[in-house]
Amino acid sequence: MEQNKIAELIAKAVKDDADIHGMMVYNLPKQEVIASTFTPEETEKFMKVEKVYMDAETAHATKIDPAGDRNWLMVSLNRKIVYSIRITNDVHLYADLEPSEAPSAAIEDGLELALMIGRML
């Protein structure tokens, strides 16, 4: 795996875009971080949050509408926007962003970044 190249890629994305607080690429089932621009404490916290969301989604939402696994999700909160993009069955890209009135460009950039990372895996 190209762990160093992935780390460089997400670090550059965070550096180049003032609206991105941080990013991480992680293996959800293994709860392993591949690369992160967050502090170790933040990384651990966001991994727990993502696991709770995915567990809840699997246990509840897919029973109501069994359309399949999530490919990407963007959530707008009071103080930030977060997105999670499935790169492979197990590997995801997570980003924490500034609030925005029109965040569609952020998810487009994230999807493009996820494709680049997917090619590295």
Side-chain angles (χ1 to χ4, degrees):
M1 189 179 309
E2 301 287 337
Q3 213 164 351
N4 290 337
K5 287 184 181 179
I6 293 170
E8 289 173 12
L9 187 63
I10 65 172
K12 182 179 180 340
V14 171
K15 180 182 173 209
D16 291 349
D17 190 335
D19 290 336
I20 302 175
H21 294 167
M23 298 181 125
M24 73 175 170
V25 177
Y26 61 95
N27 183 309
L28 184 66
K30 292 182 180 179
Q31 291 288 284
E32 290 178 355
V33 176
I34 295 167
S36 179
T37 64
F38 298 113
T39 66
E41 296 80 19
E42 290 172 321
T43 299
E44 184 178 333
K45 176 178 75 171
F46 293 140
M47 286 288 295
K48 287 178 183 176
V49 169
E50 278 295 285
K51 176 118 175 67
V52 168
Y53 278 139
M54 291 298 276
D55 288 348
E57 200 173 279
T58 302
H60 302 291
T62 56
K63 287 181 184 173
I64 295 167
D65 183 5
D69 292 330
R70 172 195 340 154
N71 290 319
W72 62 269
L73 172 73
M74 177 182 269
V75 179
S76 176
L77 306 164
N78 284 340
R79 295 185 311 266
K80 63 182 169 180
I81 294 171
V82 297
Y83 66 70
S84 177
I85 300 169
R86 179 186 302 271
I87 298 172
T88 69
N89 282 339
D90 297 336
V91 178
H92 299 252
L93 169 66
Y94 174 90
D96 181 338
L97 313 168
E98 280 290 320
S100 170
E101 292 179 1
S104 60
I107 193 65
E108 289 175 23
D109 291 347
L111 291 166
E112 186 177 326
L113 191 59
L115 285 172
M116 288 187 268
I117 294 168
R119 292 181 185 122
M120 293 180 193
L121 297 175

